[in-house]
Amino acid sequence: MAKIFSGIKPTGVVTLGNYLGAMKQFVELQEEHEAFYCVVDLHSITVQLDRVELMDNTRKLAALYLACGLDPEKSTIFVQSEVKAHAQLGWMLTCIAGMGELSRMTQYKDKSQNSENIGAGLFVYPTLMAADILLYGTELVPVGDDQKQHVELTRDLAERFNKRYYETFTIPEPLIQKEGARIMSLTNPVKKMSKSDANVKGFISMLDEPNVIRKKIKSAVTDSSGVISFDRENKPGISNLLEIYSLSTDTPIDELVERYKDSNYGTFKQDVSEAVVALLEPIQNRYHELVDSAELDAILDAGREKAEAVANKNLAKIEKAMGLNRKR
Ligand code: TYM
């Protein structure tokens, strides 16, 4: 049994990429492991957000966690800002991180491009993420491909801390799936599917209506060869749809390629749509029952208590290692 931690930002919508790359793994992992899943709202305020929107997004994401199958009896589900130790350890780790390593983070480089007013929070974002992970003695961090570099930085910070002070932190590993690690945009399949895509046709939201999903997949960019085969480099659009279909139905890609070898793109896309609709409909139904319920609050209150107990105990040890205590 390993210790697991992961989180998702409550910024904008949750996409099918978030689900297939991260949440689907979260649900599978809770069966065998001790898992903490967090709504990382402190990471969301690195960009300016309307306060009511952030509050709504936090509830929505927590409801989606549950609707996707996270079980509060098996996992600890909580909101980051409610466990104060995250921000505190975030500061402590900021103090051991270097400007150079932080400025090499590709997410920071991408997000700060063409922007004159770059928030300092965006720059130190990875130290808060490291705090999230290290606070729980985490061994495995299930994430999509784009977060790998941040988990590697977390490892570096943990090793540095252990050397400089005391052997305090467990060194975590990223857990990245072979398939689904990078679901691509439907309109530009060489780019990651992202909730911040200005073109809404590029992503599928977990809460998109069936007809919206059908339209988006129908207009997904493919190629002109007419052959359904898996080749990420030369056929990124079809390969992305194959990956989505495969993960939505738990069918190996080879089997799908064989099944559709004599089909055209139209038929294939229709079946991909139906697979995604069938995956999301029950999740959406459960989501709507939960999002405004008292049950959701009770689960998050209990999650905060469980997470806080572990986090505070570990934080006391980390503070002691650094000398942030008055008595020896
Ligand atoms: P975020 O909120 O951007 O994304 C949440 C998770 O979804 C994955 N993901 C994808 N996977 C496959 N294909 C895609 N197109 C795709 N888009 C997103 C991400 O890799 C991620 O696993 N910094 C993190 C949140 C975070 C965190 C943590 C994660 C804060 N603290 C501690 C793990 C552990 C982020 O911005 O994820």
Side-chain angles (χ1 to χ4, degrees), residues 5-9 17-18 21-22 40 43 125 129 132-133 141 143-144 146-147 180-183 192-193 195:
F5 183 98
S6 199
I8 299 183
K9 282 193 305 272
N18 294 134
V40 291
H43 279 105
Y125 178 110
M129 177 161 162
D132 299 341
I133 296 169
V141 189
V143 281
D146 63 334
Q147 295 301 315
R182 199 173 183 83
I183 298 296
K192 186 188 79 162
M193 180 182 282
K195 51 189 148 198

Side-chain angles (χ1 to χ4, degrees), residues 17-35:
N18 294 134
Y19 176 74
L20 297 178
M23 285 159 108
K24 189 169 186 277
Q25 287 203 80
F26 296 179
V27 179
E28 289 156 8
L29 289 164
Q30 69 178 347
E31 298 303 326
E32 307 254 330
H33 303 285
E34 186 187 340

